[in-house]
Amino acid sequence: MQNFEFHNPTRIVFGQQTIGKLAGLLPESARVLILLGGGSARANGTLDEVKTALGQRHVQEFSGIEPNPSFETLMRAVEQVRRDKLDFLLAVGGGSVIDGTKFVAAAVPFEGDPWTIMETHGRNVRSALPFGSILTLPATGSEMNNGGVVTRRSIQAKLAFSSAHTFPQFSILDPTVTYTLPPRQVANGVVDAFVHVVEQYLTYPVHARVQDRFAEGLLQSLIETGPEALARPEDYDARANLMWIATLALNGLIGAGVPQDWSTHMIGHELTALHGIDHARTLAIVLPASLRVRRESKRGKLLQYAERVWHVTEGSEDERIERAIASTRAFFEDMGMGTRLADYQLGAEAIDPIVTQLEAHGMTGLGEHRDVTLATSRRILETAL
Ligand code: NZQ
Ligand code: ZN
C-alpha cells in the first residue's frame, strides 16, 4: 500500500425529512446565499423546505447555475456575495451547483484573477467562505469531497480544481428529494459513480485489500441498485442506496493508499467542453475503449475485476478480460447510455480537436503510469468510434 494522509471534514446528515436539521448546522447570524440550478429545486419543493429551515436568517438566492457550471455565471454570484457582504454559501442541487458553490467560495476572498484558480487546479487557493450543501442528485460525490469542475465557455475549457479549503462543512442527503429526477439523470449518476470507483480501483495491484474490497462492494452495489433506481423512482431503499454509494465512491476513502487513473475523466471533460455531452455519457464512451487499449498495463486488476465483480472465472486470461470489458459496456447500455462516439453523432473527424484540447490543457501523460500520451488518447478515441 502507498503512503497517504486521509482527512475529510464534511459532516453528513442522511435520511428522510432531514432538511429541517439545517437550522442547527449554520450560525444563527449567518448571511446566507442559496445557490441553485435551473429550477428543479424550486419546482419540487426542496427550496421551500430549505428556506423554512433557515428561519429568520438573512437569505438571498442565486439561480441559474448550469449543468457543467460556467465561470461566467459563477462570477456573477461572486459579485453578489462581495457586494452584499454574505458570509455563508448553501448549494441546493446536483454536482454542478455544488462544484459551482465551491468555486464561488474560493473566488470571493481570492486576490487577483479567479480564473487562475482553475489554471492552477486550486493550488493558489489560500482560503474560502464556509459552505454546505443539500444534495438533489446522487452522482458526483461533490457533497463530500473538495473537488470542483468549472467550464469557461468563451474558450471551451473545462478544468478541475481541488483545495483543502473547499470541503463542504456539511451535506444533507435526503433520498426523497431525488424522486423527481428524470431517468436520464439517474442513469448519469449510476454511471458516474461506477467510473469514479473504477478510476481508483482498476489500476495495478498494491495489496490494498480493504480498499479493493470496498471498491468491489461499491461496484456490485451499483450493478444491483442502478436498474432498481431507474425502474422505480419512488423506491426509497433504491434511492437511499444509490445516494450513499455515490458519496462513498468519491469521498477519498477508497482512493487512500492506492494508485489512481482519472484519464477517462480528463478525456471525457474535453468531450463535454467541445460537444456538450453529459459528463457521465462521456465516461461511458471512453472507459470501455480505454480498458481495451490499456489492457496490458491493467492486466492484473482487470483479471481481479472480472472475477470479483462480474464472477467471470472460466476461459483464458484474455477471454476473461474481454468478458469483463463487454459486461461493463453492457451495464452502461442497460442504463440507457450510448457507449460509442457514433451514438452521439460523432465520427473520426471529432478526434483531432479533442487531442488538440488535451494538449492545450497539459493532459499529455495521464493515468496511473502517466503513460496515456496524446497518441494513446487518440487510440482510445479511435477505439470508441
Ligand atoms: O439545474 P436544475 O434545474 O437543478 O436541474 C438539474 C440539471 O438539469 C437536474 N436535477 C438535479 N437534481 C434534480 C434535478 N431534476 C429533478 N429533480 C432533482 N432532484 O439534473 C440536471 C443535471 O444536474 P448536474 O448537477 O449538472 O448533474 P451532476 O450531479 O451529474 O453534476 C455534473 C457535474 O459535476 C462534475 C461534472 O463534470 C459536471 O460538471 N463532476 C464533479 C465531480 C466532483 N466535484 O468531485 C466529479 C465528477 O467526476 C464530475 O466531473
Ligand atoms: Zn465523474
Side-chain angles (χ1 to χ4, degrees):
M1 205 188 301
Q2 302 174 345
N3 294 358
F4 66 87
E5 285 186 21
F6 180 70
H7 176 71
N8 190 318
T10 302
R11 172 172 179 172
I12 297 293
V13 178
F14 189 100
Q16 300 191 53
Q17 254 81 61
T18 43
I19 293 178
K21 300 205 173 172
L22 195 51
L25 293 169
L26 71 177
E28 211 50 67
S29 60
R31 291 173 58 79
V32 183
L33 181 66
I34 300 177
L35 296 101
L36 298 151
S40 70
R42 203 180 296 277
N44 68 11
T46 307
L47 178 61
D48 281 343
E49 273 190 73
V50 168
K51 290 208 294 204
T52 304
L54 288 172
Q56 297 306 309
R57 293 174 178 85
H58 176 86
V59 175
Q60 296 187 17
E61 290 171 27
F62 181 88
S63 310
I65 297 180
E66 324 76 341
N68 308 304
S70 79
F71 173 75
E72 290 85 347
T73 300
L74 297 172
M75 285 308 293
R76 290 196 285 109
V78 171
E79 278 165 33
Q80 185 174 340
V81 174
R82 287 177 175 165
R83 186 190 63 218
D84 296 333
K85 303 198 170 14
L86 307 175
D87 58 19
F88 200 101
L89 307 181
L90 188 58
V92 181
S96 294
V97 173
I98 304 175
D99 283 10
T101 299
K102 290 175 181 175
F103 178 79
V104 173
V108 166
F110 190 79
E111 287 172 26
D113 175 4
W115 180 247
T116 63
I117 295 173
M118 303 310 303
E119 287 174 332
T120 64
H121 305 293
R123 280 190 292 275
N124 60 2
V125 173
R126 300 283 168 266
S127 65
L129 284 188
F131 67 97
S133 86
I134 314 291
L135 178 67
T136 66
L137 196 176
T140 62
S142 190
E143 65 277 9
M144 200 181 174
N145 70 38
N146 62 348
V149 190
V150 172
T151 299
R152 191 160 190 168
R153 297 265 189 267
S154 57
I155 52 170
Q156 290 187 309
K158 181 172 181 174
L159 303 180
F161 82 107
S162 65
S163 158
H165 303 286
T166 51
F167 280 98
Q169 282 196 348
F170 61 82
S171 288
I172 297 183
L173 277 53
D174 179 345
T176 65
V177 310
T178 74
Y179 289 172
T180 55
L181 279 170
R184 160 173 157 180
Q185 298 301 341
V186 177
N188 282 352
V190 170
V191 171
D192 193 19
F194 192 96
V195 180
H196 292 161
V197 179
V198 168
E199 299 265 35
Q200 300 164 89
Y201 162 75
L202 229 169
T203 56
Y204 55 89
V206 292
H207 310 289
R209 289 181 191 153
V210 80
Q211 292 91 322
D212 278 6
R213 288 195 167 95
F214 275 148
E216 288 151 0
L218 291 170
L219 294 174
Q220 287 176 308
S221 301
L222 279 167
I223 292 164
E224 187 177 333
T225 309
E228 293 170 3
L230 203 52
R232 301 196 294 271
E234 304 208 357
D235 178 335
Y236 180 79
D237 285 327
R239 294 301 167 108
N241 274 287
L242 179 56
M243 212 170 206
W244 189 226
I245 294 164
T247 301
L248 290 171
L250 194 50
N251 74 345
L253 187 69
I254 62 166
V258 299
Q260 302 193 14
D261 183 341
W262 297 109
S263 58
T264 294
H265 269 71
M266 294 307 125
I267 299 170
H269 286 171
E270 303 302 352
L271 273 164
T272 300
L274 289 178
H275 301 288
I277 301 171
D278 289 355
H279 170 64
R281 282 156 209 265
T282 69
L283 309 176
I285 298 168
V286 176
L287 181 70
S290 175
L291 295 179
R292 177 155 288 156
V293 168
R294 298 159 69 208
R295 58 195 292 156
E296 285 317 318
S297 70
K298 288 183 180 288
R299 178 168 283 269
K301 270 306 189 57
L302 273 168
L303 287 165
Q304 183 177 326
Y305 171 67
E307 179 181 341
R308 293 203 196 165
V309 176
W310 295 108
H311 313 296
V312 176
T313 51
E314 314 259 288
S316 70
E317 285 194 5
D318 281 331
E319 282 164 0
R320 280 180 270 154
I321 288 172
E322 217 28 73
R323 281 180 54 198
I325 297 172
S327 299
T328 308
R329 185 189 295 283
F331 176 61
F332 296 164
E333 289 180 350
D334 285 349
M335 296 305 297
M337 216 166 271
T339 61
R340 306 258 180 206
L341 284 167
D343 296 323
Y344 303 83
Q345 287 72 53
L346 295 177
E349 73 293 340
I351 294 177
D352 269 344
I354 298 168
V355 175
T356 303
Q357 286 276 77
L358 285 167
E359 184 168 22
H361 299 145
M363 304 292 165
T364 54
L366 299 171
E368 64 273 23
H369 298 294
R370 306 279 158 250
D371 61 350
V372 182
T373 59
L374 294 177
T376 310
S377 290
R378 178 183 296 281
R379 268 217 320 288
I380 291 169
L381 290 162
E382 285 166 356
T383 307
L385 280 170

